[in-house]
């Protein structure tokens, strides 16, 4: 059987990264008695799909992708947002291609990105009229690195098959991979109705929700089979079956993963806004990744008014990094604070250090290999401060209420200095800079 279950003895323990590296979550330390995680989690084997230079599946690290929310017909705004998402760490960026005006601008968007030195592969999201747009706008079909096709939104009856076939033929003609992206909000109604009717005739009919879950999987797998019959190679196909409920998503993907070896795109659709969207996405995607399921992820957060679209990329990075699957940026451990920290100073320091390492990362990344794996700790008092700080590469233990106004700093587990006075934050940043230069300068990129 190709599927390597993540429920091995090795995978039983929580990743140590979960303990103590999420800013503001905990000062817990992984006890020696707890099972330590494997160096890498077992992964489901999948057929690798090249999207431009990026490999999805086939043993590659889990790829982060995101989607713009600009009007694609506005080439300037869309290119700007694609660039922002890519600069934040999105390795693939999807844009909606919903109108002729949008399709006409796709090649312009890609040219603008290239001119700015941004080489991120751009994916086109098609619904209803994709067959017409890919046919009528060859520049668009050629410029995109991948097409997303929703089999529930390609037409009805015989037209559905013809229009789906047209899109697949365009993918073959331009040698582009395709994601067959099924979504329960736009599930193929003919397929669902037929399966519901068949279910009603059973002596032991299934729950309607289970029939819908099965219809999602059948829609994805039968569409992939059809695409292969038309001539699209297996290594040009990625599948997704998105729903908006955590338990349902986990159940659907477990089943989908067990039935095929296509590369899988994970995402909780319509995850929502703010902490709800982050928590729901993390719960669903984290469990699947722990079981080795998923080759690329997208976190579908609804931005708050005026909110930053790049947040979905940061959340995706933090999920992968806190699970120990990939490293992107040094993470800051910070205690949650309590009655022992009546001032906000340590919160401000934790926040400023997290912001500092994030802003420094584009510079550090160019100069130093491995700097993204550095760990920092900013702790609020003497109770757990020194202990937690010793576990980080660099840690600082700030004085709690009533403690002597001094802040011991630990490097590689040893106390190296004690900071005092009004410029503790500035001094600590200088120490971080010196540590990065000293430890990672030997890993300078050519
Ligand atoms: S201030 Fe001290 S006791 Fe309170 S959460 Fe932070 S480390 Fe723990």
């Amino acid at each position: 059987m190709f599927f390597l279950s993540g429920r091995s003895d090795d995978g039983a323990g929580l990743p140590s990264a979960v303990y103590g590296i999420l800013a503001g979550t905990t000062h817990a330390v992984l006890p020696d008695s707890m099972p330590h995680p494997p160096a890498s989690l077992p992964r489901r084997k999948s057929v690798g799909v090249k999207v431009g230079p990026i490999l999805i599946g086939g043993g590659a690290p889990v790829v982060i992708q995101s989607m713009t929310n600009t009007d694609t017909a506005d080439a300037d705004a869309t290119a700007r947002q694609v660039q922002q998402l890519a600069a934040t760490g999105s390795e693939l960026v999807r844009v909606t291609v919903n109108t002729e005006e949008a399709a006409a601008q796709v090649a312009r968007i890609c040219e603008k990105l290239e001119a700015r030195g941004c080489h991120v592969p751009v994916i086109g999201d098609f619904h209803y009229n994709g067959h017409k747009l890919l046919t009528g706008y060859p520049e668009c079909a050629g410029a995109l690195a991948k097409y997303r096709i929703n089999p529930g939104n390609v037409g009805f009856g015989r037209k559905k098959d013809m229009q789906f076939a047209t899109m697949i033929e365009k993918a073959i003609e331009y040698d582009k991979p395709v994601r067959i992206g099924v979504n329960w909000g736009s599930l193929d109604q003919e397929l669902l109705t037929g399966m519901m009717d068949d279910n009603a005739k059973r002596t032991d009919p299934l729950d309607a929700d289970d029939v819908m879950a099965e219809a999602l999987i059948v829609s994805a797998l039968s569409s992939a089979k059809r695409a292969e019959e038309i001539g699209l190679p297996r290594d040009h196909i990625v599948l997704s079956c998105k729903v908006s409920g955590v338990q349902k998503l986990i159940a659907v993907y477990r089943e989908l993963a067990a039935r095929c070896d296509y590369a899988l795109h994970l995402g909780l659709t319509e995850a929502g806004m703010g902490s709800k969207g982050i928590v729901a996405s993390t719960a669903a995607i984290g469990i699947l990744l722990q079981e080795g399921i998923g080759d690329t992820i997208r976190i579908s957060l609804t931005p708050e008014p005026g909110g930053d679209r790049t947040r979905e990329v940061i959340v995706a990075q933090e999920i992968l990094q806190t699970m120990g699957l990939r490293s992107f940026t040094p993470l800051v451990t910070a205690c949650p604070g309590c009655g022992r920290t009546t001032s906000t100073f340590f919160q401000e320091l934790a926040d400023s250090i997290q912001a500092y390492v994030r802003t420094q990362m584009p510079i550090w990344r160019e100069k130093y290999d491995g700097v993204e794996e550095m760990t920092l700790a900013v702790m609020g008092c003497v109770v757990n401060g020194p202990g937690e700080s010793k576990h980080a590469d660099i840690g600082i233990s700030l004085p709690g209420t009533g403690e002597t106004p001094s802040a011991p700093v630990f490097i590689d587990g040893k106390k190296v200095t004690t900071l005092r006075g009004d410029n503790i934050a500035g001094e600590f940043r200088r120490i971080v800079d010196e540590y990065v230069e000293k430890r990672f300068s030997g890993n300078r990129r050519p």
Side-chain angles (χ1 to χ4, degrees), residues 27 335-341 346 379-385:
H27 45 62
C335 76
C338 67
R340 287 177 170 271
T341 49
F346 94 96
M379 299 296 291
C381 84
V382 74
V383 171
N384 290 298

Side-chain angles (χ1 to χ4, degrees), residues 267-282:
L268 186 74
T269 193
E270 293 109 29
M273 196 177 258
S275 60
K276 185 266 172 186
I278 294 171
V279 170
S281 293
T282 306

Side-chain angles (χ1 to χ4, degrees), residues 79-89 308-310:
R80 204 162 41 242
Q81 195 176 72
V82 170
Q83 193 176 8
Q84 283 167 356
L85 291 163
T88 307
D308 191 337
R309 190 67 168 179
T310 58

Side-chain angles (χ1 to χ4, degrees), residues 27-319:
H27 45 62
V29 175
L30 188 66
D32 287 336
S33 58
M34 289 200 75
H36 286 255
S40 61
L41 294 170
R43 299 276 304 278
R44 164 185 172 269
K45 287 184 181 169
S46 61
V47 177
V49 177
K50 283 290 285 292
V51 183
I54 304 291
L55 182 65
I56 297 177
V62 179
V63 171
I64 290 177
Q65 59 178 287
S66 58
M67 186 171 183
T68 57
N69 62 354
T70 52
D71 178 359
T72 308
D74 183 342
D76 280 332
T78 303
R80 204 162 41 242
Q81 195 176 72
V82 170
Q83 193 176 8
Q84 283 167 356
L85 291 163
T88 307
S90 188
E91 294 155 309
L92 303 168
V93 179
R94 184 160 40 116
V95 302
T96 190
V97 188
N98 54 337
T99 61
E100 296 202 2
E101 290 76 14
Q105 291 305 317
V106 166
R108 304 289 85 72
I109 291 165
C110 294
E111 284 163 11
K112 284 175 188 290
L113 290 168
E114 284 296 321
R116 295 171 196 173
C118 177
H119 309 297
V120 68
V122 176
I123 302 167
D125 196 70
F126 294 95
H127 299 270
Y128 311 113
N129 55 359
H131 59 293
K132 283 187 186 161
L133 297 178
L134 286 170
T135 304
Y137 292 85
E139 269 193 307
C140 167
L144 291 168
K146 174 165 154 252
Y147 311 153
R148 183 272 170 113
I149 303 175
N150 179 344
N153 280 347
V154 291
F156 301 97
R158 282 187 59 241
K159 272 192 175 174
K160 176 177 74 179
D161 293 342
M162 285 163 50
Q163 288 165 190
F164 179 79
T166 300
M167 296 177 78
I168 297 299
E169 284 159 6
K170 287 294 158 194
I172 295 166
E173 180 183 340
Y174 291 95
D175 191 25
K176 305 292 182 183
V178 162
R179 170 162 67 100
I180 295 174
V182 181
N183 190 306
W184 81 328
S186 49
L187 184 54
D188 181 336
Q189 290 303 302
E190 289 172 59
L191 173 72
L192 180 62
T193 304
M195 289 180 66
M196 287 288 186
D197 288 347
D198 289 345
N199 185 55
K201 291 175 197 154
R202 288 171 56 133
T203 50
D204 56 342
L206 299 171
D207 184 83
D209 261 8
D210 291 337
V211 179
M212 180 180 271
E214 178 64 14
L216 284 163
I217 295 166
V218 168
S219 176
L221 292 178
S222 61
S223 300
K225 183 166 180 271
R226 177 84 186 107
E228 284 198 65
E229 286 166 357
I230 295 166
L232 191 67
R234 199 171 185 76
D235 64 2
H236 279 50
I237 299 174
V238 178
L239 297 188
S240 66
C241 281
K242 294 192 181 179
V243 300
S244 59
V246 171
Q247 297 296 350
K248 188 64 71 185
L249 190 90
I250 293 166
V252 165
Y253 269 90
R254 280 177 176 160
E255 192 63 27
L256 180 65
R259 285 200 215 171
C260 71
D261 63 357
Y262 293 111
L264 298 183
H265 165 125
L266 291 189
L268 186 74
T269 193
E270 293 109 29
M273 196 177 258
S275 60
K276 185 266 172 186
I278 294 171
V279 170
S281 293
T282 306
I285 291 173
I287 286 169
L288 290 165
L289 290 173
Q290 183 72 12
E291 296 179 8
I293 298 169
D295 301 295
T296 176
I297 62 172
R298 191 242 163 159
I299 309 302
S300 302
L301 296 181
T302 309
E304 273 127 23
D308 191 337
R309 190 67 168 179
T310 58
R311 195 172 189 206
E312 67 175 59
V313 179
I314 293 168
V315 172
Q317 288 181 329
E318 288 179 344
I319 290 173

